[in-house]
Structure formats: C-alpha cells, structure tokens
Amino acid sequence: MADDNTPLPRLKELQRDVGEQNGIWNAGALHYSLRDALQVAGPTGTPSTLDNLAGDYTRAEQRLDAALMAVGRLRRTTLPTIWAGDTHVAAGDALAAAERGLERGVEVLGKVAQGLRGLSAALEGGKSRDSAALAPLREAYELTEEITAGPFIDPLNYDGDTMHRAHQLAKSGMAERVGAHTAVAEASREASSTFHDLASQARLQRLADSPLSALDELLLADAGSTGDSVDTAVLSAAMADRAADRLAGMGEADRARMEQLLASAGSPEHRAYLMRALAAGHDIDRITEFNRLIGPYGDDPAWLREHLNPLGAGGLAAGQQPTTFDGAEWTQGQHPTCVASSTVTARAQVDPLYALQLTTGGHPGDPAYDNGAAFAERLRDEQVRVYDGERSWLQELPLLGSDGMTNDQSATVADQEIGARTGADYENRDVDNSDERRAVLPEIERAVDEGHAVPFSSHDDSGGHQMLIIGHEGDRLQVYNPWGYTVWVDEDDFVNGRLGSIGNGVPTEFTSVRLPG
C-alpha cells in the first residue's frame, strides 16, 4: 500500500483495538486506547482557503470566457488566406484551434472551481463530524477512569455495566472518527485525481520547449481533439513532451528537414502523427519515409486514425467498443497470448510506424496488403514473436509446461516493446486486497492521464488474463481487452473484485499492474 501520513491509519488501528477490548480484563487496555484516540489530530486544512481559491478560479474562468467570445467573433469574420508559423499554419485554422482550446480552458477552470468547493464542503463536514465524535470518546475515557487503576482494573470500583457502556461509546466514537477521516481522504483523492487529469490536458504547455512557433505548437497540440475533450488528440501529454525534447535536440539540418515535413503536411492530424513518430524515437530518415507513405492520405484524418491509432476511436461511448481495422479485430483470438497481444497493441498505439506496418505491411493503398485479412495475419505473427521470444524453455515443456506469460515477463516485454518507444520503465506491482487496489489507483490514473498504457492482470478460479488501462475520466477507467474491444469500467469494480463487468468470462479480481516509471 502507498504510504499514508494522515491520521487515518492510526485511527483504523485504534478502532480495531477498541473493538476487541471488552470485558473485565480489557478495561485498562480500553482506557489507554481511548487516551491515544483522543490525541489523534482531526482532519487538516482550511475550508475558507479552498473557497477563496475557488473564487479565484471562477474569476479566471470569466476572463477566459470573455477572451473566447472575442476569438469566436474574429474567427467568424471573413479572413484572407494568411499563412504563419514555421510550418505554414493557416490563420483560420489557428483561430479555430485557439477557440477550441479556450472552450476547454473555460470548462477546466470551472471544473477546478467546482472541485475546490466540493473539497471545501467535504473538509468542513469531516471536521464537524470528527469533532462531534470526540464527545462519546471523552465520556468513555472518563468511565474507564472510574473502573481502572493505571493499566489494571480497580477491584473496588469496577462495574460491568460501566465497562459495557464505555465500550459501546468507544466503538461508536471510533466509527465516527474513522468515517469522518475516510470521507475527507476520499474527497481529497477524488479532487487530486480530477486536478491531475485536468492538468494533463494542457498539451500546448508540453510543447512550449520546442523550437517551433507558438502557432505551430497550438495546431499540433489541438490536432484530433474536440471542443469538449483533448483526450482524442493525436499527441498525448507524454508524446508532446518527448517530441518537443527530441525536436529541440536535433541538429540544425535535421530540424530543418523535420520542419519542412510539417510544413508540407496535408492536415493538422498529419503533422501531429509526424510528431508522434518523432516522440517514438525514430530518426529523420525513417520519419521522412513514413511521411512518403502516408502523404497521399494526409488530408484524411479518418484514414490516419484507422491506420495509425488502433485505440483512438473508442471515446467516451458506453458499452463495448470494437477495436477493428478494415473489419478485422485487434484481438488475440483463441490463443493464450493476452500479454503479447495487449503489448503489441500498446506499441502500435505509441509508434505510428509500427502501426502502419501492421495495418498495411508498408504498402498503404495496395489492396494486396492494405486489407483486414492481411492485417490479421501480420498481427498474429507479431503476437507470436513477442510470446515466443520471452517465454522460458520450462514453460514450453510438454505436460510440465504452461500457457501464458508471468507478470515479470509482462514487465520485460512492456519495457522492450512499449518503453523503448516512450522512455518508460515498467515495474510490476502486486495488489493483494481492496486497500492496496485503491491505493494504487492514483498512480494508474496519473500514468494514463499522461498517455501511457498500463498493463494489468486479473484472476479468479477460471484463470488469469492481461488487459490494458488506456483512459481515465472521473471515477472510471477505460480498458482495452485483447479479446477485441475497449470498455469503460467503474473504479469501484477494480477495487472490489468485479472485473466481470469488462465482459463475460473476464477473471474478476484485479491482482497486479505494470506501472511505467
């Protein structure tokens, strides 16, 4: 479990002790447990400070909304064909991207203000509830003082009814204190999750260190997004960071070549996929060849998404959303290759050159290669390559061997196939109970918000299975199941062993996760 330096763990420990400290021989122990419980601090924080911050964000939201209205009026005027920036950005496109960015900014500031006010209310309620719970604990402490002498019972004054009354008050007071602190901790966790998710949407800031102009960065960050969400953008936060760093680190000649590729791109999405290739670690020669292959389709965002972004079409839609290319699923089929299959799909999601090779065999537009059946065969070959390449000879032994891959093998292939293209180093983390599962959720959310796929395992009596967490929205996580679909799942299902909600036959208990570092 993650470290917790709040009073809550100590209160839970004392609550367990108090629950067992009943009867004549536990009077002294109950007395000292109550003394310790009364010394534990209440929830920390100042609701008024949070309310003041919320007011600041509301005022900022109003100012940004005024800017949005001004940009909207300008965009709706008839503009001449003006080109600007290092990559020949159209002024109209830049204004449209700015308007979408401002729309999202207004929404983000409003959500931050709402989150702060909600946290303030939860903190104020928790403080009040915790303070009220001290009264029965003090009464119980005074009752135990009457019937004890230090750590021992007072044989002259001990009374069974008094002990029973003290124990009932102690249990009630401890339950209230633990409940109050738990409510504040959960509200804090939810607020932190929301704020990190909102912060990860600031894609433009992630490109700020690139040598490109602000207009170029604006179009790249916005490509593929909508006015409602940046989650569909071609560049994730982590990709934007890596692309900016690699572009800034290029020599002058290579940077000029990259900027020329961006300038000749057929759409903002085309530019963004070139930057996605750069983020995946490819050099300028390979990116140039990649651009030659996709160039004829650069003005067709739907073609680019289908061929280069296997998990990019699910969005926020409810229910199972098939992951397909030309009618063929991104699936493991009837083979025990869930680890290899999810890893291959995750690599394709972050490496557009690899995705293009899978979907077209390097021959986009050629019907002999660029079709669902040929894709399915190439996908299966890659799954076998990853599966066979990491399994041990012991696993392959007849009768004595076993199907599938271990968690450590999963972490290794994640490093080799995904981390090599993202810079992440995956580490396996076992989670053995609901407390550990809930504790690891913030780390999963942060990784996913940044744009990292997070492999995880589930088990039950039917066996084990690996899937990917690829999205986060509020208290839901988006899962890619290598049976060929994505689906949104409540985080409570992860915590409480209900992963059958992902689909029929999915092992129900979340047992381990590979976290990128």
Side-chain angles (χ1 to χ4, degrees), residues 30-112:
L30 180 61
H31 180 69
Y32 283 106
S33 292
L34 287 165
R35 180 201 63 184
D36 292 345
L38 288 166
Q39 292 174 351
V40 176
T44 58
T46 308
S48 61
T49 299
L50 296 172
D51 288 332
N52 290 337
L53 282 172
D56 292 340
Y57 275 96
T58 296
R59 286 186 286 275
E61 176 191 7
Q62 293 167 348
R63 294 189 184 100
L64 200 63
D65 191 48
L68 170 62
M69 295 177 64
V71 170
R73 286 193 296 269
L74 180 60
R75 185 185 62 79
R76 287 187 289 272
T77 63
T78 301
L79 292 173
T81 303
I82 300 173
W83 299 88
D86 301 316
T87 65
H88 295 181
V89 171
D93 289 343
L95 281 174
E99 187 172 21
R100 286 190 294 271
L102 287 169
E103 286 175 354
R104 291 191 297 270
V106 169
E107 182 180 8
V108 165
L109 291 174
K111 286 182 176 178
V112 171

Side-chain angles (χ1 to χ4, degrees), residues 273-345:
Y273 279 110
L274 294 176
M275 290 291 277
R276 192 162 170 160
L278 182 64
H282 296 293
D283 61 32
I284 189 62
D285 290 333
R286 295 205 65 191
I287 296 173
T288 299
E289 174 61 13
F290 172 64
N291 182 66
R292 183 186 71 80
L293 294 173
I294 69 171
Y297 314 96
D299 61 351
D300 186 349
W303 188 97
L304 295 171
R305 182 177 60 250
E306 182 182 26
H307 287 76
L308 306 178
N309 195 357
L311 302 177
L316 296 174
Q320 295 179 3
Q321 302 299 311
T323 51
T324 63
F325 171 75
D326 194 30
E329 292 180 330
W330 290 80
T331 178
Q332 70 186 84
Q334 299 301 311
H335 307 284
T337 56
C338 57
V339 172
S341 300
S342 54
T343 302
V344 166
T345 302

Side-chain angles (χ1 to χ4, degrees), residues 376-453:
E377 185 175 344
R378 288 188 294 268
L379 179 65
R380 176 66 186 144
D381 288 345
E382 278 299 282
Q383 292 167 349
V384 170
R385 175 186 67 80
V386 174
Y387 184 75
D388 290 345
E390 187 56 31
R391 278 166 50 85
S392 70
W393 64 270
L394 286 172
Q395 290 171 305
E396 299 289 350
L397 287 176
L399 301 179
L400 299 177
S402 60
D403 289 333
M405 300 173 75
T406 67
N407 290 340
D408 287 339
Q409 288 170 334
S410 171
T412 297
V413 296
D415 284 341
Q416 294 170 347
E417 301 292 329
I418 311 169
R421 296 301 171 189
T422 64
D425 182 16
Y426 283 83
E427 178 185 3
N428 183 64
R429 178 88 61 83
D430 292 329
V431 285
D432 297 326
N433 53 58
S434 60
D435 285 342
E436 292 185 2
R437 293 177 199 128
R438 188 170 295 281
V440 82
L441 284 179
E443 296 179 74
I444 293 173
E445 292 169 347
R446 291 186 182 96
V448 172
D449 290 342
E450 290 293 307
H452 295 287

Side-chain angles (χ1 to χ4, degrees), residues 33-382:
S33 292
L34 287 165
R35 180 201 63 184
D36 292 345
L38 288 166
Q39 292 174 351
V40 176
T44 58
T46 308
S48 61
T49 299
L50 296 172
D51 288 332
N52 290 337
L53 282 172
D56 292 340
Y57 275 96
T58 296
R59 286 186 286 275
E61 176 191 7
Q62 293 167 348
R63 294 189 184 100
L64 200 63
D65 191 48
L68 170 62
M69 295 177 64
V71 170
R73 286 193 296 269
L74 180 60
R75 185 185 62 79
R76 287 187 289 272
T77 63
T78 301
L79 292 173
T81 303
I82 300 173
W83 299 88
D86 301 316
T87 65
H88 295 181
V89 171
D93 289 343
L95 281 174
E99 187 172 21
R100 286 190 294 271
L102 287 169
E103 286 175 354
R104 291 191 297 270
V106 169
E107 182 180 8
V108 165
L109 291 174
K111 286 182 176 178
V112 171
Q114 181 181 8
L116 288 168
R117 290 192 178 95
L119 182 57
S120 171
L123 179 57
E124 186 169 10
K127 282 176 170 289
S128 176
R129 182 180 176 187
D130 182 70
S131 179
L134 294 175
L137 292 180
R138 290 193 185 98
E139 183 179 349
Y141 178 76
E142 291 169 358
L143 289 173
T144 58
E145 199 166 34
E146 295 174 6
I147 60 175
T148 58
F152 308 107
I153 61 169
D154 183 345
L156 297 179
N157 294 299
Y158 180 80
D159 177 74
D161 290 341
T162 301
M163 178 63 186
H164 178 73
R165 170 67 175 163
H167 188 243
Q168 294 302 307
L169 288 169
K171 289 199 300 180
S172 172
M174 290 305 303
E176 278 297 290
R177 291 210 73 188
V178 168
H181 282 257
T182 298
V184 171
E186 184 59 22
S188 178
R189 191 198 70 78
E190 290 178 0
S192 177
S193 171
T194 298
F195 296 158
H196 190 279
D197 187 20
L198 295 174
S200 72
Q201 296 181 25
R203 306 292 166 83
L204 181 58
Q205 183 272 337
R206 301 301 186 103
L207 290 168
D209 292 334
S210 84
L212 296 174
S213 72
L215 281 176
D216 294 304
E217 292 170 354
L218 173 63
L219 265 291
L220 286 168
D222 179 72
S225 67
T226 66
D228 296 330
S229 174
V230 75
D231 291 336
T232 57
V234 174
L235 291 177
S236 69
M239 289 175 186
D241 280 337
R242 280 175 59 81
D245 288 345
R246 296 201 72 243
L247 189 61
M250 279 181 160
E252 186 174 343
D254 285 350
R255 187 186 305 158
R257 289 176 64 188
M258 186 69 190
E259 290 179 358
Q260 181 56 41
L261 293 179
L262 296 171
S264 62
S267 66
E269 289 80 8
H270 184 179
R271 292 188 189 95
Y273 279 110
L274 294 176
M275 290 291 277
R276 192 162 170 160
L278 182 64
H282 296 293
D283 61 32
I284 189 62
D285 290 333
R286 295 205 65 191
I287 296 173
T288 299
E289 174 61 13
F290 172 64
N291 182 66
R292 183 186 71 80
L293 294 173
I294 69 171
Y297 314 96
D299 61 351
D300 186 349
W303 188 97
L304 295 171
R305 182 177 60 250
E306 182 182 26
H307 287 76
L308 306 178
N309 195 357
L311 302 177
L316 296 174
Q320 295 179 3
Q321 302 299 311
T323 51
T324 63
F325 171 75
D326 194 30
E329 292 180 330
W330 290 80
T331 178
Q332 70 186 84
Q334 299 301 311
H335 307 284
T337 56
C338 57
V339 172
S341 300
S342 54
T343 302
V344 166
T345 302
R347 175 178 171 184
Q349 184 67 13
V350 298
D351 183 353
L353 277 70
Y354 184 67
L356 186 69
Q357 182 62 33
L358 287 172
T359 55
T360 72
H363 302 273
D366 185 336
Y369 296 88
D370 191 350
N371 66 78
F375 154 74
E377 185 175 344
R378 288 188 294 268
L379 179 65
R380 176 66 186 144
D381 288 345
E382 278 299 282

Side-chain angles (χ1 to χ4, degrees), residues 320 456 467 479 481 485 487 489 498-504 506:
Q320 295 179 3
F456 74 99
M467 295 164 279
V479 171
N481 185 349
Y485 59 86
V487 65
V489 183
R498 298 194 299 263
L499 291 188
S501 61
I502 293 173
N504 291 333
V506 172

